[in-house]
Amino acid sequence: MGDFLLSIWTYFATNILTQPAYLIGFIVLLGYILLKRPLYECVAGFLKATVGYFILTVGSGGLVNNFRPILVGLKERFNLDAMVTDPYFGQNAVDAGLMETFGRTFGDVMILLLIAFVMNILLVRFQKYTKLRSVFTTGNVQIQQSATAFWILLFCFPDLGRIQVLIFMGLILGCYWAVASNLTVGITQELTEGAGFAVAHQQMFGIFIFAKLAEWMKKRDEKKNKAEKMDKKLEDIELPGFLSIFNENMVATSLLMLFFFGIILLVLGKDYLIQAEFMQEGQSFLFYIMTTSLNFAVYLAILQLGVRTFVDELTQSFQGISNTILPGAVPGIDVAATFGFGSPNAVTIGFLFGALGQFLMIGLLILLKSPTIVIAGFIPLFFDNAVIAVFANNRGGFKAACLFLFLSGIIQVGGSALFATWIGMSKYGGYIGMFDWATAWPVFTVIMKVLGYIGIAVVVVGLLIIPQLQYRKNPEGYFMIVDDYEQYAEKYQEQN
């Protein structure tokens, strides 16, 4: 019987839980069934949500692949023996090093994912006590985080038995998924004007912290009577003369990426790109640079189309789940879903200023002869900084979107280099590299390493206190922002 149940779980985890497109489609289907919609509407909703997520995946994958010549080139052309900050490189590093370092196998990672996911659902189900509202549904991210979390706990407790590792880290990771995605519920509802989802990715603490800092900056400037000058959002800025072409998102993205990609590809050189088979012999170098740069705008537009396609279905259908199985809950979904809201140019600005911060920090690591040199992977470089820029611009304006993204880039590289070196992942060539894993998770690890088993309790209790503090700040509006956003906006947004 046990083997039968395990095989069912394995099939579900492999084909649905860890495949975000089908998981989102499954949630939409279940939601519409619970709302007692006609069968054809349920099937149509499933297909629209799944296809929409596939469109988003095409956009995301295109952006990542488009950056590959630069990522590979910087590593090979200049003979840098370095660690790549990228969730997939991090997952591969865990797979490569678990047996050698701890004598464990990667197979337990999927069991850890199940325990953590069940923990997340239970915490939301008992939200009357926990004050938690978000269910983490981004399956590919869950695998990456489960792998790195597995390594971290074994680093802290190398002699811990298999069952204890799975239970302890399932508890910690489940709390992190529930608490961190819950931090984004309110600010995402305000950004999207009640779209009914939260962010479930790798920079949730970062989104919340920088959104609040942006808000603080805005209020500080208002006190100095500089609000009109300092509180301009990207979408409010009308550029004069020939600069007005930057008011068009697609044009701005194309020109900025042409400048960014152009410089790096020129440094790498035509000969290298042909040798590495990124370019074909006889192909125009100028038009290769143009195509690579302009494809960035293409894939960003595809990504935003995918967002618009599935978010509306998810928002409507999840009411069936929140009305019956998980009252007051929202789905936590991929960070890219926020790119369809706020200023489209915030995404590009976030990428560029985050890149400046990352490249500055990489230069400092080389200058200071750090034992670990970082190659900036595209996923942290783009997705972390783009989403933080969207929220920072929405809460604090253009200045916040630039300043905090530069700071974010520095923190991502510096924190990842220090932490991955300490826990021993850097020598296997990769680390997850996203904002929370360069800040919050190193703090968790220090607490557990110093305090031992008591540290596990401190981390779990510390996480569970966060939603209680959020709730205490505004008990009346805390659940209202999910249950009835229009009423919430009417009552509170003027005050904020």
Side-chain angles (χ1 to χ4, degrees):
M1 184 65 178
D3 290 341
F4 176 70
L5 292 175
L6 183 61
S7 65
I8 292 175
W9 157 247
T10 303
Y11 183 85
F12 178 78
T14 304
N15 295 290
I16 296 178
L17 183 59
T18 58
Q19 304 295 326
Y22 288 114
L23 181 59
I24 293 295
F26 177 78
I27 289 171
V28 168
L29 178 65
L30 178 61
Y32 280 147
I33 289 171
L34 292 172
L35 286 172
K36 298 181 179 177
R37 294 282 181 88
L39 181 60
Y40 65 87
E41 282 191 22
C42 297
V43 173
F46 167 81
L47 292 173
K48 191 174 178 182
T50 305
V51 170
Y53 205 98
F54 277 135
I55 294 172
L56 179 147
T57 305
V58 169
S60 298
L63 288 169
V64 174
N65 291 331
N66 216 41
F67 196 73
R68 189 168 177 270
I70 291 174
L71 178 64
V72 175
L74 289 174
K75 189 169 184 178
E76 292 182 353
R77 177 81 169 78
F78 301 104
N79 298 316
L80 285 176
D81 185 17
M83 171 189 80
V84 180
T85 49
D86 177 276
Y88 293 100
F89 276 82
Q91 185 178 323
N92 292 338
V94 174
D95 196 12
L98 264 182
M99 180 57 70
E100 182 183 329
T101 308
F102 302 110
R104 311 292 179 104
T105 63
F106 194 82
D108 283 347
V109 168
M110 292 303 295
I111 301 173
L112 169 58
L113 190 157
L114 169 63
I115 296 170
F117 188 60
V118 170
M119 182 70 190
N120 183 177
I121 291 171
L122 288 173
L123 287 168
V124 173
R125 183 66 185 84
F126 293 101
Q127 66 175 224
K128 180 180 178 182
Y129 310 103
T130 64
K131 312 304 180 193
L132 291 165
R133 302 161 292 180
S134 178
V135 180
F136 202 113
T137 66
T138 319
N140 57 321
V141 171
Q142 288 175 310
I143 296 175
Q144 296 156 4
Q145 294 188 359
S146 296
T148 305
F150 194 54
W151 181 290
I152 286 171
L153 197 70
L154 287 171
F155 169 74
C156 294
F157 308 100
D159 299 324
L160 210 58
R162 181 189 181 202
I163 302 299
Q164 291 95 319
V165 168
L166 293 172
I167 292 173
F168 288 154
M169 188 42 76
L171 182 65
I172 295 169
L173 193 58
C175 288
Y176 167 72
W177 287 346
V179 170
S181 59
N182 185 75
L183 279 172
T184 72
V185 170
I187 55 178
T188 303
Q189 282 289 85
E190 290 178 2
L191 171 74
T192 63
E193 297 182 350
F197 67 87
V199 173
H201 210 255
Q202 320 250 32
Q203 62 297 92
M204 299 171 288
F205 275 96
I207 290 171
F208 180 79
I209 290 167
F210 285 120
K212 291 300 179 183
L213 285 173
E215 196 174 341
W216 168 81
M217 179 184 286
K218 174 185 171 183
K219 288 177 180 176
R220 184 201 65 178
D221 289 341
E222 284 174 348
K223 285 182 182 177
K224 293 179 179 178
N225 296 319
K226 293 182 181 178
E228 187 176 342
K229 180 182 177 184
M230 307 296 283
D231 186 32
K232 285 259 184 196
K233 293 184 181 179
L234 284 164
E235 57 268 40
D236 299 328
I237 298 173
E238 289 293 328
L239 296 169
F242 78 95
L243 290 175
S244 63
I245 62 173
F246 283 94
N247 290 326
E248 174 62 43
N249 172 51
M250 195 167 288
V251 175
T253 300
S254 299
L255 289 174
L256 290 170
M257 290 303 107
L258 193 59
F259 176 76
F260 179 81
F261 281 114
I263 290 175
I264 299 177
L265 290 172
L266 283 170
V267 170
L268 292 176
K270 181 179 179 180
D271 292 341
Y272 167 76
L273 291 166
I274 292 173
Q275 182 188 340
E277 298 182 352
F278 292 119
M279 274 183 66
Q280 296 177 359
E281 191 76 49
Q283 185 179 359
S284 167
F285 190 30
L286 170 63
F287 280 91
Y288 174 79
I289 292 173
M290 285 185 64
T291 302
T292 303
S293 305
L294 299 182
N295 272 337
F296 190 96
V298 172
Y299 289 122
L300 190 56
I302 292 171
L303 186 150
Q304 290 169 335
L305 170 63
V307 170
R308 290 193 294 271
T309 304
F310 83 84
V311 163
D312 187 51
E313 294 295 327
L314 183 63
T315 301
Q316 292 183 49
S317 65
F318 203 82
Q319 293 174 7
I321 294 172
S322 62
N323 290 343
T324 53
I325 303 172
L326 295 171
V330 295
I333 59 178
D334 194 297
V335 67
T338 62
F339 296 166
F341 302 90
S343 169
N345 282 334
V347 173
T348 309
I349 291 294
F351 170 69
L352 289 172
F353 278 87
L356 286 174
Q358 286 209 7
F359 292 156
L360 173 65
M361 194 65 212
I362 290 168
L364 286 174
L365 291 176
I366 295 171
L367 194 65
L368 297 171
K369 298 182 179 178
S370 166
T372 298
I373 302 299
V374 168
I375 293 291
F378 181 77
I379 294 175
L381 190 64
F382 178 74
F383 289 96
D384 267 13
N385 297 318
V387 69
I388 291 170
V390 169
F391 282 96
N393 176 62
N394 186 61
R395 312 285 290 195
F398 173 73
K399 177 185 171 185
C402 298
L403 175 63
F404 293 137
L405 271 299
F406 181 71
L407 182 60
S408 169
I410 291 172
I411 292 170
Q412 285 168 316
V413 169
S416 295
L418 284 171
F419 186 58
T421 303
W422 180 44
I423 66 175
M425 279 188 69
S426 60
K427 63 183 178 182
Y428 294 101
Y431 178 63
I432 202 166
M434 309 293 274
F435 188 90
D436 283 6
W437 297 81
T439 53
W441 278 90
V443 171
F444 300 162
T445 307
V446 169
I447 292 170
M448 291 188 290
K449 195 70 174 173
V450 172
L451 299 180
Y453 294 120
I454 295 173
I456 295 174
V458 170
V459 170
V460 170
V461 172
L463 284 169
L464 293 178
I465 285 172
I466 292 172
Q468 303 295 333
L469 296 175
Q470 285 182 275
Y471 175 75
R472 180 174 287 188
K473 190 174 180 183
N474 184 8
E476 189 179 2
Y478 186 77
F479 289 109
M480 185 192 299
I481 199 169
V482 171
D483 297 332
D484 190 341
Y485 180 75
E486 288 184 8
Q487 184 184 350
Y488 172 87
E490 208 174 292
K491 189 165 187 178
Y492 291 101
Q493 233 164 9
E494 278 189 19
Q495 301 173 17
N496 296 333

